[in-house]
Amino acid sequence: MIKWNRIVAFLAVVGITFALIGTTAKGVIGGITLGLDLQGGFETLYEVKPIEEGQELTKNTMKDTVGAILKRIDILGVAEPEIAIEGSDRIRVKLAGVTNQEEARKLLGEPARLAFLGPNGEELMTGNDLAKDGASVQYDELHRPFISLKLANAQKFEDITREYLHQRISIALDEQILTSPEVQSVISGGNASITGEYTVEEATQLANILNAGALPVEMTEIYSNSVGAKLGAESLDKAIFAGIIGVGAIFLFMFLFYRWAGIIAIVTLVAYMYTILVVLNWMHATLTLPGIAAFILTVGMAVDANIITYERIKEELRAGKSLTSAVRAGQRRSLSTILDANITTMIAGAVLFYFGTSSIQGFAVTLMVGIVMTMLTAVLGTRLLLSIWVRSNALRKPWFYGVKESEINEL
Amino acid sequence: MNFKNIDYVSKRKVFFTISGFIQIIGIIAILVFGFNLGVDFQGGTRLDVLVGETFAEQDVRAELQTVGLTPGTIETAGNQKERAAVRFTEALSKEQVASAKTALTEKYGEQVDIEESSVDPMMARELVRQAIYAVGLASLGIIIYLTIRFEYRFAVTGVLALLHDAFAVIAVFSIFKIEVDLTFIAAILTIVGYSINDTIVTFDRIRENLPRYKVKGMEDLEKVVNVSIQETIVRSLNTVITVLFASVALLIFGGESIRNFALALTVGLVFGMYSSIFIAAQLWLDWKGKELFKKRPLTNNEAS
């Protein structure tokens, strides 16, 4: 006697699941941030050293440095920069989707140490003597841009110009002399200017660098990774294509091997893939290339839970049990195996996360989220759907679950 | 083929020999060939250049030399051989990377795109250290968990089997001089997690079957293990096959950047499948057997 209300309930659960996925998938996928290896961009790990000998790196210096880097990134207009202090003397900067990488990298690492040098190269003033936001672009009579500087300490500057009257003072940025004007008069009021053959863009950028502040420290790149936008897009396309093929093969395999139960597994796998994306979106996780690889891989692993359960059910059916009790026994007995198997993989994932660098951490996060979600969808979801179905009394022949009549032992 | 009627345990010495042989070849390979270490592990710069057309290695080299760069190795990659993997033993500065791109763009056109990865040698040493810690810590964690859930013999033999798999992958990479980088470590750790996953399925069944058979001698214990493997073989094969679908798809279609990762994974999965069936449970069998029956009086007792 087929119970239609159970079939309706089954179809309703499946229907609601797919409707939910269909209507929200676009937003969920669109909301996931792609890593710099997929959209182009770069990542640099800087080692920070104090500029002056004997000076110590404090937490505050590190924070100030991060602040200065952030200001510089603002100049670039990057939407979602990721900056993190690692350990006591490292700063990791990740910029995804930067169009002009070379310029950006140059701008970031530049210590921008501004110095006023005397005729013999002696340092008279540094960038710290500059007033806050004291650099601006102005134009001379011929509409050539120059940089106007406002100094924090007008008296100091006046004293210097008095001392070096009629001599040349150089203004240098990172040992590169920008200009060496002669001091023609004692300058009071604290204003100076840097002139040179600048384009408007160059002048603006220079002024911005000066305002962003001389970095209080020296930064050396000890690790860097940059990916061109074209290569990133290519990686993304290929990974998605590989994913479609791999997941398609898994679906086909499940259908051929477990028939109707396989179809139920496919439904829960689709739900699984969707929930992974929802969770990644919700965590604001960045999807990297290894992350996609992990995602595809976890689909293969999520199937495990189904296979372990289904093989158990097949065994029970072969032993001659009825479908209802075979399903019940199969589900009960497979749970501890699934748990053990997944917890060990979880241990590996946690270690990867703890020791990995950023892109591998992306892999580890996806792997761990995947394992947790497996328990929700492939275990609970499959249980729910199978139980509802079994009670509907439809498709009860062992054939529908991949068992031949000839294999069944008589009780 | 019917996997369910095969006698898996009687030939275990043969499998131990095969595995021992693989390990020896691996050790020799590593001693003789060493590793093709990527920049992650020895410092330097790797440029992955999308040239976009067939190119001659010496042209790329010459082009880079015009801007004062001396590449170490240049390998061609990609399905149409349109990519060049250029390695430098020194880490390039960002200006040098930029000039390399400019030079190659002038020669090959606007489609040229570069993926660059530079690692300071000091950083590289740190990464190696972390990688070793990671594999060690993961193994330890798994041993502890399995000891709690099963018994230490399962834990140790399970971990031996997974180290066997990890080592086999390392040997393959050494023999074929495939570049070893950080993603390789990620692949090894995934294999570590996954290979044990597969082994547990069999162990679980042995544990379940043990009380059902009244084990009085080695033959009974052998029977338990054999029956357990026969009962779980389809499960073991199917779970690995589905993951293999994913990893092989990544290997063939996933693109250059994850090719080595996918390769390590695929090789590891195959070895993992082999070791869970032929190594892990059989090792356990010999160990457990020795312990259970060592007090049994020997038949040729008088001779001694």
Side-chain angles (χ1 to χ4, degrees):
Chain A
M1 198 32 208
I2 291 174
K3 291 184 182 150
W4 287 101
N5 58 340
R6 297 286 177 191
I7 295 181
V8 170
F10 178 87
L11 292 177
V13 172
V14 176
I16 289 168
T17 310
F18 279 122
L20 187 75
I21 294 172
T23 48
T24 56
K26 216 175 165 190
V28 169
I29 293 169
I32 289 177
T33 329
L34 293 178
L36 58 91
D37 51 357
L38 295 175
Q39 60 165 315
F42 71 92
E43 172 182 357
T44 310
L45 183 63
Y46 292 106
E47 186 173 55
V48 180
K49 283 198 191 96
I51 286 178
E52 270 137 60
E53 289 285 319
Q55 199 181 321
E56 261 189 60
L57 269 187
T58 61
K59 270 200 175 135
N60 277 333
T61 329
M62 293 297 279
K63 275 188 198 147
D64 290 348
T65 311
V66 170
I69 295 173
L70 270 173
K71 273 193 184 171
R72 290 176 177 204
I73 293 172
D74 274 350
I75 301 170
L76 292 168
V78 176
E80 284 181 51
E82 280 180 61
I83 303 185
I85 297 177
E86 286 183 9
S88 61
D89 64 344
R90 286 180 185 173
I91 294 176
R92 188 184 293 275
V93 180
K94 278 193 260 182
L95 300 181
V98 183
T99 40
N100 192 342
Q101 286 189 29
E102 283 129 45
E103 191 187 309
R105 270 180 86 179
K106 197 159 167 270
L107 187 65
L108 274 193
E110 211 78 71
R113 219 171 113 73
L114 187 73
F116 290 75
L117 307 170
N120 302 317
E122 70 274 28
E123 196 175 274
L124 308 175
M125 287 194 324
T126 68
N128 295 336
D129 293 313
L130 207 64
K132 194 173 183 329
D133 291 327
S136 60
V137 178
Q138 304 205 350
Y139 299 92
D140 64 10
E141 318 80 71
L142 295 170
H143 211 73
R144 287 177 305 201
F146 70 92
I147 295 145
S148 158
L149 300 177
K150 206 178 200 62
L151 296 146
N153 189 338
Q155 188 59 47
K156 188 174 176 185
F157 194 57
E158 196 181 321
D159 292 345
I160 289 169
T161 48
R162 183 171 297 121
E163 195 185 334
Y164 291 92
L165 194 61
H166 303 304
Q167 296 185 43
R168 284 191 181 272
I169 286 183
S170 305
I171 301 172
L173 188 71
D174 294 328
E175 280 132 47
Q176 189 196 350
I177 305 222
L178 300 171
T179 173
S180 303
E182 196 184 298
V183 182
Q184 281 157 346
S185 58
V186 175
I187 302 171
S188 55
N191 281 307
S193 55
I194 306 174
T195 53
E197 295 292 308
Y198 297 124
T199 65
V200 179
E201 288 81 38
E202 282 166 352
T204 312
Q205 201 177 59
L206 196 54
N208 279 333
I209 292 176
L210 297 177
N211 284 334
L215 287 181
V217 292
E218 197 110 43
M219 300 204 305
T220 344
E221 289 187 2
I222 54 171
Y223 172 86
S224 73
N225 179 234
S226 77
V227 179
K230 255 174 273 170
L231 281 171
E234 194 188 291
S235 295
L236 181 63
D237 288 347
K238 285 190 172 167
I240 290 176
F241 183 67
I244 292 170
I245 300 284
V247 171
I250 291 170
F251 283 4
L252 190 65
F253 177 86
M254 288 304 282
F255 171 68
L256 293 179
F257 227 87
Y258 301 106
R259 309 225 171 88
W260 177 245
I263 291 177
I264 292 178
I266 293 169
V267 172
T268 62
L269 281 174
V270 172
Y272 164 78
M273 292 191 278
Y274 172 77
T275 43
I276 287 280
L277 294 175
V278 170
V279 171
L280 289 179
N281 192 348
W282 168 74
M283 285 170 63
H284 296 293
T286 306
L287 195 62
T288 57
L289 188 56
I292 292 185
F295 178 59
I296 298 169
L297 208 61
T298 57
V299 177
M301 296 169 77
V303 175
D304 276 13
N306 283 311
I307 291 177
I308 290 173
T309 311
Y310 290 171
E311 282 297 326
R312 264 286 161 154
I313 293 174
K314 278 169 99 170
E315 265 178 60
E316 305 289 341
L317 283 174
R318 285 193 197 106
K321 282 197 185 167
S322 76
L323 183 64
T324 317
S325 59
V327 166
R328 201 179 296 134
Q331 289 180 339
R332 197 184 58 237
R333 290 187 171 170
S334 58
L335 190 63
S336 86
T337 315
I338 294 170
L339 263 178
D340 285 337
N342 280 323
I343 287 173
T344 49
T345 312
M346 198 76 170
I347 292 173
V351 171
L352 270 176
F353 184 76
Y354 188 75
F355 281 103
T357 54
S358 55
S359 74
I360 291 189
Q361 282 184 336
F363 174 79
V365 168
T366 315
L367 198 62
M368 288 192 287
V369 171
I371 293 166
V372 175
M373 287 300 122
T374 303
M375 303 304 288
L376 271 181
T377 57
V379 181
L380 285 180
T382 310
R383 264 173 191 237
L384 177 74
L385 286 179
L386 257 185
S387 312
I388 300 177
W389 188 263
V390 165
R391 274 180 266 153
S392 77
N393 290 341
L395 305 187
R396 294 191 66 84
K397 285 250 182 323
W399 183 88
F400 290 109
Y401 302 87
V403 174
K404 288 188 206 114
E405 299 280 352
S406 60
E407 293 171 339
I408 298 173
N409 297 329
E410 289 300 323
L411 268 179
Chain B
M1 189 161 51
N2 196 341
F3 301 103
K4 298 197 170 184
N5 301 322
I6 299 173
D7 184 358
Y8 294 93
V9 298
S10 64
K11 298 275 188 311
R12 63 181 180 280
K13 294 280 185 300
V14 177
F15 296 118
F16 291 159
T17 315
I18 293 174
S19 282
F21 198 59
I22 292 172
Q23 306 296 306
I24 291 167
I25 291 177
I27 292 171
I28 293 172
I30 291 165
L31 290 177
V32 176
F33 303 123
F35 292 109
N36 179 5
L37 288 179
V39 293
D40 292 345
F41 291 135
Q42 59 175 9
T45 290
R46 178 195 162 100
L47 295 184
D48 216 328
V49 186
L50 173 70
V51 179
E53 57 185 74
T54 322
F55 60 93
E57 192 200 304
Q58 61 266 31
D59 286 350
V60 170
R61 190 177 286 277
E63 210 54 48
L64 290 171
Q65 271 159 353
T66 59
V67 288
L69 300 174
T70 320
T73 57
I74 300 181
E75 283 165 35
T76 43
N79 294 337
Q80 276 90 46
K81 305 240 173 274
E82 77 288 8
R83 280 172 181 242
V86 188
R87 284 209 336 232
F88 299 87
T89 45
E90 302 282 312
L92 301 188
S93 72
K94 47 204 177 234
E95 290 82 12
Q96 286 173 309
V97 175
S99 63
K101 188 176 176 185
T102 315
L104 293 171
T105 307
E106 272 169 22
K107 171 130 176 100
Y108 295 104
E110 280 304 313
Q111 81 286 345
V112 168
D113 208 10
I114 286 186
E115 183 173 336
E116 170 259 5
S117 166
S118 296
V119 184
D120 187 273
M122 178 269 300
M123 185 70 192
R125 279 194 295 277
E126 195 180 307
L127 290 172
V128 173
R129 201 169 51 234
Q130 280 190 354
I132 295 170
Y133 283 164
V135 176
L137 194 73
S139 307
L140 190 71
I142 290 167
I143 290 185
I144 293 171
Y145 178 75
L146 289 186
T147 307
I148 297 169
R149 289 284 291 146
F150 294 81
E151 55 155 32
Y152 70 95
R153 287 182 211 86
F154 279 124
V156 174
T157 49
V159 167
L160 275 179
L162 77 84
L163 291 179
H164 161 277
D165 306 339
F167 191 74
V169 180
I170 292 172
V172 168
F173 270 60
S174 168
I175 291 168
F176 294 99
K177 294 219 156 273
I178 305 165
E179 191 174 326
V180 169
D181 58 12
L182 269 186
T183 58
F184 179 75
I185 301 299
I188 293 285
L189 279 175
T190 313
I191 294 163
V192 163
Y194 195 76
S195 145
I196 195 81
N197 190 324
D198 209 22
T199 309
I200 285 177
V201 175
T202 317
F203 281 176
D204 208 40
R205 187 57 70 99
I206 294 175
R207 185 176 56 171
E208 195 184 311
N209 281 340
L210 264 178
R212 291 189 198 161
Y213 294 76
K214 294 189 179 79
V215 177
K216 289 201 195 75
M218 197 59 192
E219 297 75 34
D220 298 332
L221 199 62
E222 275 174 13
K223 189 156 188 239
V224 173
V225 173
N226 209 23
V227 165
S228 302
I229 294 177
Q230 286 171 349
E231 284 174 356
T232 52
I233 184 84
V234 176
R235 222 157 45 156
S236 297
L237 290 178
N238 283 3
T239 55
V240 175
I241 286 168
T242 51
V243 185
L244 269 176
F245 281 144
S247 81
V248 170
L250 281 173
L251 178 64
I252 299 174
F253 305 109
E256 226 40 63
S257 312
I258 43 173
R259 181 147 299 160
N260 285 356
F261 172 79
L263 181 65
L265 219 52
T266 306
V267 175
L269 285 171
V270 172
F271 276 103
M273 177 159 66
Y274 161 80
S275 76
S276 349
I277 299 166
F278 297 111
I279 302 297
Q282 339 271 57
L283 273 180
W284 177 87
L285 168 65
D286 272 348
W287 188 0
K288 182 83 175 176
K290 236 173 223 163
E291 219 138 282
L292 275 182
F293 310 117
K294 66 186 166 191
K295 291 187 189 109
R296 197 175 53 163
L298 293 170
T299 42
N300 55 350
N301 230 1
E302 299 132 305
S304 58

